[in-house]
Amino acid sequence: MRVGELARRTGTTVRALRYYETAGLVVPRRLGNGYREYDPVAVRLVAQIRELMALGLSVEETRPFVESIALGAGEADVCAAALATYRSTITGLQERIGRLTAQREALDARLDEAAGRVVTGRPAPGADPGALVGHRLPALEFYGTDGRPVDLGALGPGRSVIFVYPLTGRPGVDLPNGPLEIAGARGGTEQAAWFRDHHAELRTAGAARVYGLSAQSSGYQRELVHRLRLPYPLLPDPQLICAQALGLPTFAAGDMTLYERLTLIVADGVVEHVFHPIPQPASHARQVLRWLTRRRSAGRVEQRM
């Protein structure tokens, strides 16, 4: 077959085929008239090259696989050189993942540190979170676990649910001794999971958006989002900006200061309701769902009157 036909059958370009030819991977025969003609096996060769490149191998690293096919092997990776290439590529990926993980953690740390310098606020009067009802939230900007900025003073139209929790642990790593000894510190993971499980119902009941907020770093929160597959972002506040600006209650746990558990319902920028205290965090999402459902029903009655 001619080069144009090979390109069409393999979904690649003539330019790429010329490159494979220059590398000695897919070599056509020269006809008497000067045209190149490819054997049918060239389709398998090109497909193998493209498949391996999609997995991260370079063109040169595909050579042992291509040569195996060209020599008539039923499978491309039956030779020792192919196995060595697999191992080398996996090792390279592991090293790269390690470097990227360290880079992400360093950026998380710098983001947390910078967030505390960028936003400042005056403490709200009173220590009772219920006193926030009727107050408009100030401009407090955070970067959620989805990478997007979230301004508490500009959440958007409709109701927003912001559940504030102390902390969550990681699998295989126990919580610090302080939180273990304080009632109410545990349950963050279960609470996040319940908001996940009832997320669609909360949206149907009138919640335009849901956020979780804690004093933990982005690294801890991103691990939780990934592990639990949370459909909503978490907001890191390691500098306790909300405690300073809104007067949200905190408690000491060992060498840490953590938020008490509470949930804010914010309607069009104004705090409409505060849930505090929350004695049963695992089932708290149902409590929020019932409140939203009642408010939606009351709103419909008011519209009819």
Side-chain angles (χ1 to χ4, degrees):
M1 74 189 80
R2 301 289 174 82
V3 66
E5 174 67 10
L6 180 59
R8 184 187 66 79
R9 293 180 61 179
T10 56
T12 188
T13 64
V14 172
R15 182 177 181 181
L17 294 176
R18 297 294 190 222
Y19 178 57
Y20 302 156
E21 179 183 346
T22 302
L25 297 173
V26 184
V27 182
R29 295 194 308 273
R30 284 283 188 175
L31 301 179
N33 57 10
Y35 287 110
R36 295 176 174 86
E37 184 175 72
Y38 293 87
D39 292 329
V41 72
V43 175
R44 283 190 64 196
L45 298 178
V46 174
Q48 184 67 79
I49 293 171
R50 288 169 57 81
E51 179 182 347
L52 292 172
M53 289 180 65
L55 292 175
L57 274 68
S58 67
V59 171
E60 180 58 33
E61 287 172 329
T62 68
R63 187 175 300 280
F65 303 87
V66 171
E67 290 177 348
S68 292
I69 295 176
L71 292 173
E75 299 294 337
D77 50 9
V78 295
C79 63
L83 297 179
T85 301
Y86 277 148
R87 295 190 183 98
S88 175
T89 303
I90 292 172
T91 299
L93 283 174
Q94 290 174 333
E95 293 174 352
R96 185 182 178 192
I97 290 171
R99 291 194 299 270
L100 289 174
T101 299
Q103 181 181 356
R104 187 190 69 182
E105 291 177 351
L107 286 171
D108 282 340
R110 296 192 66 166
L111 172 61
D112 293 340
E113 181 181 355
R117 297 195 301 265
V118 171
V119 183
T120 58
R122 284 178 282 180
D128 179 15
L132 289 171
V133 174
H135 287 74
R136 181 170 294 278
L137 290 182
L140 300 174
E141 188 171 282
F142 301 92
Y143 278 89
T145 49
D146 57 359
R148 299 179 181 178
V150 176
D151 186 347
L152 297 190
L155 292 174
R159 288 189 172 94
S160 302
V161 176
I162 306 173
F163 70 93
V164 181
Y165 62 96
L167 82 171
T168 58
R170 287 175 173 170
V173 180
D174 209 347
L175 299 177
N177 291 330
L180 287 176
E181 298 168 357
I182 298 177
R186 280 192 178 275
T189 301
E190 291 82 359
Q191 184 180 9
W194 273 73
F195 273 102
R196 173 200 64 195
D197 297 340
H198 294 279
H199 185 256
E201 298 171 76
L202 291 167
R203 294 292 303 273
T204 301
R209 57 200 65 85
V210 176
Y211 299 104
L213 184 145
S214 75
Q216 286 185 293
S217 67
S218 299
Y220 265 95
Q221 291 189 340
R222 287 178 179 171
E223 186 279 331
L224 185 71
V225 169
H226 176 74
R227 172 160 49 92
L228 299 185
R229 300 183 183 275
L230 300 183
Y232 53 84
L234 301 179
L235 308 178
D237 185 12
Q239 302 298 323
L240 301 174
I241 297 169
C242 285
Q244 301 171 31
L246 305 177
L248 298 188
T250 61
F251 66 94
D255 59 351
M256 298 183 298
T257 301
L258 304 172
Y259 279 114
E260 288 187 16
R261 202 180 307 277
L262 63 90
T263 296
L264 303 175
I265 307 294
V266 182
D268 299 322
V270 177
V271 178
E272 186 178 18
H273 188 78
V274 178
F275 292 91
H276 180 268
I278 300 175
Q280 297 179 331
S283 59
H284 173 57
R286 286 184 177 177
Q287 184 183 10
V288 176
L289 180 60
R290 287 194 296 268
W291 188 92
L292 289 171
T293 301
R294 288 196 299 267
R295 290 297 300 171
R296 183 183 58 178
S297 300
R300 288 174 178 174
V301 172
E302 292 174 358
Q303 290 177 356
R304 296 194 191 104
M305 297 177 61

